[in-house]
Amino acid sequence: MSSLRSVAFKSFSRSQTPFARFQQRRWAQVHDVRFLATHRDPNQVLDKYRSKLNQKAQKEGFESVESLKEAHKEKIDKLRREASTILTPEPPAPSPSPSQKPHTPPPPPSPQTSQSQAPSEKNSTPIKALSSYLDVEKIRALPPKEIEALWRLRHASNPHSICAVIPLETYQRIVAAARQNPQFILPLPRTPTEGQDTAAAAAEDNTGADIHFLQWAFHPPASSVPSAVNTHTSTIIFTPLAAYKLHGSFAQPHTTITHHLDLAEEKGLVLMHGQVMPDSGVSTTEATWLVSCVQRFYDFGGQASGRKGELLRMFTRGDVQNFKIEELMTEAEKL
């Protein structure tokens, strides 16, 4: 029976709630030991050692203990001062070492310093600037046709490169739609195998196309000299929809598009450059098709003024009842 009580008590003690334990300690008191000092009554000490003090006084030729104390008053006072207890001693403040000197705030930057640092802060985008492809200062003096020819020539030797020159007005319409609809899907028609026509390929699969997911992003201008028009650098990344569903934001894009606005204000041109990842399963020709579809669905004042623009808005709204992949494919093939 006693063993059962012992087990029950241990179980209860382990199961006590923090609130119960807190109640048990509610009357506990905490003292700061720095404020505690012991002081004995001096008369008690004198009575305890009076006989020895009388012997000491007679030995040194004094009539009483009081005369002995008077003779050694200075020595006794000195010993008392040395043995006295300081009630609230405070640790001495450590002298600052060279590595712990008080920190003084730096002086405010001068206007010249602020102006010199402003371009580097604005140029913090990871996107390559147009100056990494062309000598921007030299081509500013050229007419638009020659700039376009140089831009295409610059990327002609790269088999994984896509380039284009977009009129500023067209780009502004596309970007306005992109800010409202930053994501979309585009179909990439499958190439029929040898001896198989397009109708047979479509019959094997209801869609007859691979679906790719595109995302817009806007960054600070890559140029160190932004202007009223060159206020940003926009990019588009293309990812197979199946890969995006599987990996989400960690999916590897196969094509990246960058728009440079360095010459937009002076020449009215936006230089576009795209890079297709090798061995991504998408050829440069197929990526070019997807890029051309961007204008068809995002240029609301041009090619996307009809049903294409409606499909883009429905995708953004999540209108799954009216958004049809078959209709998307039909509109994508219309020029």
Coordinates of all heavy atoms in Angstrom, one line a residue, residues 202-269:
A202 N -2.3 15.9 -83.6 CA -3.3 16.4 -82.7 C -4.3 15.3 -82.2 O -4.9 15.4 -81.1 CB -4.1 17.5 -83.4
A203 N -4.5 14.3 -83.1 CA -5.5 13.3 -82.7 C -4.9 12.4 -81.6 O -5.7 11.8 -80.8 CB -5.8 12.4 -84.0
E204 N -3.6 12.2 -81.6 CA -3.0 11.4 -80.5 C -3.1 12.1 -79.1 O -3.1 11.5 -78.1 CB -1.5 11.2 -80.8 CG -1.3 10.2 -82.0 CD 0.2 9.9 -82.2 OE1 1.0 10.4 -81.4 OE2 0.5 9.2 -83.1
D205 N -3.1 13.4 -79.2 CA -3.2 14.2 -77.9 C -4.3 15.3 -78.1 O -4.3 15.9 -79.2 CB -1.8 14.8 -77.6 CG -1.8 15.3 -76.2 OD1 -2.7 16.1 -75.8 OD2 -0.9 14.9 -75.4
N206 N -5.1 15.5 -77.1 CA -6.1 16.5 -77.3 C -5.6 17.9 -77.5 O -6.2 18.7 -78.1 CB -7.1 16.4 -76.1 CG -7.9 15.1 -76.0 OD1 -8.1 14.5 -77.0 ND2 -8.2 14.7 -74.8
T207 N -4.5 18.2 -76.9 CA -3.9 19.5 -77.0 C -3.0 19.6 -78.2 O -3.0 20.6 -78.9 CB -3.1 19.9 -75.7 OG1 -2.1 19.0 -75.5 CG2 -4.1 19.8 -74.5
G208 N -2.1 18.7 -78.5 CA -1.2 18.8 -79.6 C -0.1 19.8 -79.3 O 0.5 20.3 -80.3
A209 N 0.1 20.2 -78.1 CA 1.1 21.2 -77.8 C 1.6 21.1 -76.4 O 1.0 20.5 -75.5 CB 0.5 22.6 -77.9
D210 N 2.8 21.6 -76.1 CA 3.4 21.6 -74.8 C 3.1 23.0 -74.2 O 3.2 24.0 -75.0 CB 4.9 21.4 -74.8 CG 5.3 20.0 -75.3 OD1 4.5 19.1 -74.9 OD2 6.3 19.9 -76.0
I211 N 2.7 23.1 -73.0 CA 2.3 24.4 -72.4 C 3.5 24.9 -71.6 O 4.1 24.1 -70.8 CB 1.1 24.2 -71.5 CG1 0.0 23.5 -72.3 CG2 0.6 25.5 -70.9 CD1 -0.5 24.3 -73.5
H212 N 3.8 26.2 -71.7 CA 4.9 26.8 -71.1 C 4.4 28.0 -70.2 O 3.5 28.7 -70.7 CB 6.0 27.3 -72.1 CG 6.6 26.1 -72.7 ND1 7.9 25.6 -72.4 CD2 6.2 25.4 -73.8 CE1 8.2 24.6 -73.1 NE2 7.2 24.4 -74.0
F213 N 5.0 28.1 -69.1 CA 4.6 29.2 -68.1 C 5.6 30.3 -68.2 O 6.8 30.1 -68.1 CB 4.6 28.6 -66.7 CG 4.2 29.5 -65.6 CD1 2.9 30.1 -65.6 CD2 5.1 29.9 -64.6 CE1 2.5 30.9 -64.6 CE2 4.7 30.7 -63.6 CZ 3.4 31.2 -63.6
L214 N 5.1 31.6 -68.3 CA 5.9 32.8 -68.4 C 5.7 33.7 -67.2 O 4.5 33.8 -66.7 CB 5.8 33.5 -69.7 CG 4.5 34.3 -70.0 CD1 4.5 35.7 -69.4 CD2 4.1 34.3 -71.5
Q215 N 6.7 34.3 -66.8 CA 6.7 35.3 -65.6 C 7.4 36.5 -66.0 O 8.6 36.5 -66.4 CB 7.2 34.6 -64.4 CG 6.5 33.4 -63.9 CD 7.3 32.7 -62.7 OE1 8.2 32.0 -63.0 NE2 6.9 33.0 -61.5
W216 N 6.8 37.7 -65.7 CA 7.4 39.0 -65.9 C 8.1 39.4 -64.6 O 7.6 39.1 -63.5 CB 6.4 40.1 -66.3 CG 6.0 40.0 -67.8 CD1 5.1 39.2 -68.3 CD2 6.5 40.8 -68.8 NE1 5.0 39.5 -69.7 CE2 5.8 40.5 -70.0 CE3 7.5 41.8 -68.9 CZ2 6.1 41.1 -71.2 CZ3 7.7 42.4 -70.1 CH2 7.1 42.1 -71.3
A217 N 9.1 40.2 -64.7 CA 9.8 40.7 -63.5 C 10.3 42.1 -63.9 O 10.8 42.3 -65.0 CB 10.9 39.8 -62.9
F218 N 10.3 43.0 -62.9 CA 10.8 44.4 -63.2 C 11.9 44.7 -62.1 O 11.7 44.5 -60.9 CB 9.7 45.4 -63.1 CG 8.6 45.2 -64.1 CD1 7.5 44.3 -63.9 CD2 8.7 45.8 -65.4 CE1 6.6 44.1 -64.9 CE2 7.8 45.6 -66.4 CZ 6.7 44.7 -66.1
H219 N 13.0 45.2 -62.7 CA 14.2 45.5 -61.9 C 14.6 46.9 -62.0 O 14.2 47.6 -63.0 CB 15.4 44.6 -62.3 CG 15.0 43.1 -62.5 ND1 15.0 42.2 -61.5 CD2 14.6 42.5 -63.6 CE1 14.6 41.0 -61.9 NE2 14.3 41.2 -63.2
P220 N 15.5 47.4 -61.1 CA 16.1 48.8 -61.4 C 16.8 48.8 -62.7 O 17.3 47.8 -63.2 CB 17.0 49.0 -60.2 CG 16.5 48.0 -59.1 CD 15.9 46.8 -59.9
P221 N 16.9 50.0 -63.3 CA 17.6 50.1 -64.6 C 19.0 49.6 -64.5 O 19.8 50.0 -63.6 CB 17.5 51.6 -64.9 CG 17.2 52.3 -63.6 CD 16.4 51.3 -62.8
A222 N 19.4 48.8 -65.4 CA 20.8 48.3 -65.4 C 21.8 49.4 -65.8 O 23.0 49.3 -65.5 CB 20.9 47.1 -66.4
S223 N 21.3 50.4 -66.5 CA 22.2 51.5 -66.9 C 22.5 52.4 -65.8 O 21.7 52.6 -64.9 CB 21.6 52.3 -68.1 OG 22.3 53.5 -68.3
S224 N 23.7 52.9 -65.7 CA 24.1 53.8 -64.7 C 23.6 55.2 -64.9 O 23.8 56.1 -64.0 CB 25.7 53.8 -64.5 OG 26.2 54.3 -65.7
V225 N 23.0 55.4 -66.1 CA 22.5 56.8 -66.4 C 21.0 56.6 -66.7 O 20.6 56.7 -67.9 CB 23.2 57.4 -67.5 CG1 22.8 58.9 -67.7 CG2 24.7 57.4 -67.3
P226 N 20.1 56.4 -65.7 CA 18.7 56.3 -66.0 C 18.1 57.6 -66.5 O 18.6 58.7 -66.2 CB 18.1 55.9 -64.7 CG 19.0 56.4 -63.7 CD 20.4 56.3 -64.3
S227 N 17.0 57.6 -67.1 CA 16.3 58.8 -67.7 C 14.8 58.7 -67.4 O 14.4 57.8 -66.7 CB 16.6 58.9 -69.2 OG 16.0 57.8 -69.9
A228 N 14.1 59.6 -67.9 CA 12.6 59.6 -67.7 C 12.0 58.4 -68.3 O 10.9 58.0 -67.8 CB 12.0 60.9 -68.3
V229 N 12.6 57.8 -69.3 CA 12.0 56.6 -69.9 C 12.7 55.4 -69.4 O 12.0 54.3 -69.1 CB 12.1 56.7 -71.5 CG1 11.6 55.4 -72.1 CG2 11.4 57.9 -72.0
N230 N 14.0 55.4 -69.2 CA 14.7 54.3 -68.7 C 14.6 54.2 -67.2 O 15.6 54.5 -66.5 CB 16.2 54.4 -69.2 CG 17.0 53.2 -68.8 OD1 16.5 52.1 -68.6 ND2 18.3 53.4 -68.8
T231 N 13.5 53.8 -66.7 CA 13.2 53.7 -65.3 C 13.3 52.3 -64.8 O 13.1 52.1 -63.6 CB 11.8 54.3 -65.0 OG1 10.8 53.5 -65.7 CG2 11.7 55.7 -65.4
H232 N 13.5 51.3 -65.6 CA 13.5 49.9 -65.2 C 14.1 49.0 -66.2 O 14.4 49.5 -67.3 CB 12.0 49.4 -64.9 CG 11.2 49.3 -66.2 ND1 10.6 50.4 -66.7 CD2 11.0 48.3 -67.1 CE1 10.0 50.1 -67.8 NE2 10.2 48.8 -68.1
T233 N 14.4 47.8 -65.9 CA 14.7 46.7 -66.8 C 13.8 45.6 -66.6 O 13.7 45.1 -65.4 CB 16.2 46.3 -66.6 OG1 17.1 47.4 -66.8 CG2 16.6 45.2 -67.5
S234 N 13.1 45.2 -67.6 CA 12.1 44.1 -67.5 C 12.7 42.8 -68.0 O 13.5 42.8 -69.0 CB 10.8 44.4 -68.2 OG 11.0 44.5 -69.6
T235 N 12.3 41.7 -67.4 CA 12.7 40.3 -67.8 C 11.5 39.4 -67.9 O 10.5 39.6 -67.3 CB 13.7 39.7 -66.9 OG1 13.1 39.6 -65.6 CG2 15.0 40.6 -66.8
I236 N 11.6 38.4 -68.8 CA 10.6 37.4 -68.9 C 11.3 36.0 -68.8 O 12.4 35.8 -69.5 CB 9.8 37.4 -70.2 CG1 9.3 38.8 -70.5 CG2 8.6 36.5 -70.1 CD1 8.7 39.0 -71.9
I237 N 10.8 35.1 -68.0 CA 11.4 33.8 -68.0 C 10.3 32.8 -68.4 O 9.2 32.9 -68.0 CB 12.0 33.4 -66.6 CG1 10.9 33.5 -65.5 CG2 13.2 34.3 -66.2 CD1 11.4 33.0 -64.1
F238 N 10.7 31.8 -69.2 CA 9.8 30.7 -69.6 C 10.2 29.4 -69.0 O 11.4 29.1 -69.0 CB 9.9 30.6 -71.2 CG 9.4 31.8 -71.9 CD1 10.2 32.9 -72.2 CD2 8.1 31.9 -72.3 CE1 9.7 34.0 -72.9 CE2 7.6 33.0 -73.0 CZ 8.4 34.0 -73.3
T239 N 9.3 28.7 -68.5 CA 9.5 27.4 -67.8 C 8.4 26.5 -68.3 O 7.2 26.9 -68.4 CB 9.4 27.6 -66.3 OG1 10.2 28.7 -65.9 CG2 9.8 26.3 -65.6
P240 N 8.7 25.2 -68.6 CA 7.7 24.2 -68.9 C 6.7 24.2 -67.7 O 7.0 24.1 -66.6 CB 8.4 22.9 -69.1 CG 9.8 23.3 -69.4 CD 10.1 24.6 -68.7
L241 N 5.4 24.2 -68.1 CA 4.4 24.2 -67.1 C 4.4 23.0 -66.2 O 4.2 23.1 -65.0 CB 3.0 24.4 -67.7 CG 1.8 24.5 -66.7 CD1 1.9 25.7 -65.9 CD2 0.5 24.5 -67.5
A242 N 4.7 21.9 -66.7 CA 4.8 20.6 -65.9 C 5.9 20.7 -64.9 O 5.8 20.3 -63.7 CB 5.1 19.4 -66.9
A243 N 7.1 21.3 -65.3 CA 8.2 21.5 -64.3 C 7.8 22.5 -63.3 O 8.2 22.3 -62.1 CB 9.4 21.9 -65.1
Y244 N 7.1 23.6 -63.6 CA 6.7 24.6 -62.7 C 5.7 24.0 -61.6 O 5.8 24.3 -60.5 CB 6.1 25.8 -63.3 CG 5.8 26.9 -62.4 CD1 6.8 27.8 -62.0 CD2 4.5 27.1 -61.9 CE1 6.6 28.8 -61.1 CE2 4.3 28.1 -61.0 CZ 5.3 29.0 -60.6 OH 5.0 30.0 -59.7
K245 N 4.8 23.1 -62.1 CA 3.8 22.5 -61.2 C 4.6 21.6 -60.2 O 4.2 21.4 -59.1 CB 2.8 21.7 -62.0 CG 1.8 22.5 -62.7 CD 0.8 21.7 -63.4 CE -0.3 22.5 -64.1 NZ -1.3 21.6 -64.8
L246 N 5.6 21.0 -60.7 CA 6.4 20.0 -59.9 C 7.3 20.7 -58.9 O 7.4 20.3 -57.7 CB 7.2 19.0 -60.7 CG 7.9 17.9 -60.0 CD1 6.9 17.0 -59.3 CD2 8.7 17.1 -61.1
H247 N 8.0 21.7 -59.3 CA 9.1 22.3 -58.5 C 8.7 23.8 -58.1 O 9.5 24.3 -57.3 CB 10.4 22.3 -59.3 CG 10.9 21.0 -59.7 ND1 11.3 20.0 -58.8 CD2 10.9 20.4 -60.9 CE1 11.7 18.9 -59.5 NE2 11.4 19.1 -60.8
G248 N 7.7 24.3 -58.6 CA 7.3 25.7 -58.2 C 8.4 26.7 -58.6 O 8.9 26.7 -59.7
S249 N 8.7 27.6 -57.7 CA 9.7 28.7 -58.0 C 11.1 28.1 -58.2 O 12.0 28.8 -58.6 CB 9.7 29.7 -56.9 OG 10.0 29.1 -55.6
F250 N 11.4 26.8 -57.8 CA 12.7 26.2 -58.0 C 12.8 25.6 -59.4 O 13.9 25.0 -59.7 CB 12.9 25.2 -56.9 CG 13.0 25.7 -55.5 CD1 11.9 25.7 -54.7 CD2 14.1 26.3 -55.1 CE1 11.9 26.2 -53.4 CE2 14.2 26.9 -53.8 CZ 13.1 26.8 -53.0
A251 N 11.8 25.6 -60.2 CA 11.9 25.1 -61.5 C 12.9 25.8 -62.4 O 13.0 27.1 -62.3 CB 10.5 25.1 -62.2
Q252 N 13.7 25.1 -63.2 CA 14.7 25.8 -64.0 C 14.1 26.3 -65.3 O 13.5 25.6 -66.1 CB 15.8 24.7 -64.3 CG 16.9 25.3 -65.2 CD 17.8 26.2 -64.4 OE1 18.0 26.1 -63.2 NE2 18.3 27.2 -65.1
P253 N 14.2 27.6 -65.5 CA 13.6 28.2 -66.8 C 14.5 27.8 -67.9 O 15.7 27.6 -67.8 CB 13.7 29.7 -66.5 CG 14.7 29.9 -65.5 CD 14.7 28.7 -64.6
H254 N 13.9 27.7 -69.1 CA 14.7 27.3 -70.3 C 15.1 28.6 -71.1 O 16.0 28.5 -72.0 CB 14.0 26.3 -71.2 CG 12.6 26.8 -71.7 ND1 12.5 27.7 -72.7 CD2 11.4 26.4 -71.3 CE1 11.2 27.9 -72.9 NE2 10.5 27.1 -72.1
T255 N 14.4 29.7 -71.0 CA 14.7 30.9 -71.7 C 14.5 32.1 -70.8 O 13.5 32.2 -70.1 CB 13.7 31.0 -72.9 OG1 13.9 29.8 -73.7 CG2 14.1 32.2 -73.8
T256 N 15.4 33.0 -71.0 CA 15.3 34.3 -70.2 C 15.4 35.5 -71.2 O 16.3 35.5 -72.0 CB 16.4 34.4 -69.2 OG1 16.4 33.3 -68.3 CG2 16.3 35.7 -68.4
I257 N 14.5 36.4 -71.1 CA 14.4 37.6 -72.0 C 14.7 38.8 -71.2 O 14.1 39.0 -70.1 CB 13.0 37.7 -72.7 CG1 12.7 36.4 -73.5 CG2 13.0 38.9 -73.6 CD1 13.7 36.1 -74.6
T258 N 15.5 39.7 -71.7 CA 15.8 41.0 -71.1 C 15.6 42.2 -72.0 O 15.9 42.1 -73.2 CB 17.3 41.0 -70.6 OG1 17.5 39.9 -69.8 CG2 17.5 42.3 -69.8
H259 N 14.9 43.2 -71.5 CA 14.7 44.4 -72.3 C 15.5 45.6 -71.8 O 15.5 45.9 -70.6 CB 13.2 44.8 -72.3 CG 12.3 43.7 -72.8 ND1 11.7 42.8 -72.0 CD2 11.8 43.5 -74.0 CE1 10.9 42.0 -72.7 NE2 11.0 42.4 -73.9
H260 N 16.3 46.2 -72.7 CA 17.2 47.3 -72.4 C 16.6 48.6 -72.9 O 16.2 48.7 -74.1 CB 18.6 47.1 -73.0 CG 19.2 45.9 -72.5 ND1 19.9 45.8 -71.3 CD2 19.4 44.6 -73.1 CE1 20.4 44.5 -71.2 NE2 20.1 43.8 -72.3
L261 N 16.4 49.6 -72.0 CA 15.8 50.9 -72.4 C 16.8 52.0 -72.5 O 16.4 53.2 -72.4 CB 14.7 51.2 -71.4 CG 13.4 50.5 -71.6 CD1 13.5 49.1 -71.0 CD2 12.3 51.2 -70.9
D262 N 18.1 51.7 -72.6 CA 19.1 52.8 -72.6 C 18.9 53.8 -73.8 O 19.2 55.0 -73.6 CB 20.5 52.1 -72.7 CG 20.8 51.2 -71.6 OD1 20.1 50.2 -71.4 OD2 21.7 51.5 -70.8
L263 N 18.4 53.3 -74.9 CA 18.3 54.2 -76.1 C 16.8 54.5 -76.3 O 16.5 55.1 -77.4 CB 18.9 53.5 -77.3 CG 20.3 53.0 -77.2 CD1 20.7 52.2 -78.5 CD2 21.2 54.2 -77.0
A264 N 16.0 54.2 -75.4 CA 14.5 54.4 -75.6 C 14.2 55.9 -75.8 O 13.4 56.3 -76.6 CB 13.7 53.8 -74.5
E265 N 14.8 56.7 -75.0 CA 14.4 58.2 -75.0 C 15.0 58.9 -76.2 O 14.3 59.7 -76.8 CB 14.9 58.8 -73.7 CG 14.4 60.3 -73.6 CD 14.7 60.8 -72.2 OE1 15.6 60.2 -71.5 OE2 14.2 61.8 -71.8
E266 N 16.2 58.5 -76.6 CA 16.8 59.2 -77.7 C 16.4 58.7 -79.1 O 16.2 59.4 -80.0 CB 18.4 59.2 -77.6 CG 18.9 59.9 -76.3 CD 20.4 59.7 -76.2 OE1 21.0 59.6 -77.3 OE2 20.9 59.7 -75.1
K267 N 16.4 57.3 -79.1 CA 16.1 56.7 -80.4 C 14.7 56.1 -80.5 O 14.4 55.6 -81.6 CB 17.2 55.6 -80.7 CG 18.6 56.1 -80.6 CD 18.9 57.2 -81.7 CE 20.3 57.7 -81.7 NZ 20.6 58.7 -82.7
G268 N 14.0 56.0 -79.4 CA 12.7 55.3 -79.5 C 12.8 53.8 -79.7 O 11.8 53.3 -80.2
L269 N 13.9 53.2 -79.3 CA 14.1 51.8 -79.5 C 14.3 51.1 -78.1 O 14.9 51.6 -77.2 CB 15.3 51.5 -80.4 CG 15.2 52.1 -81.8 CD1 16.5 51.8 -82.5 CD2 14.1 51.6 -82.6

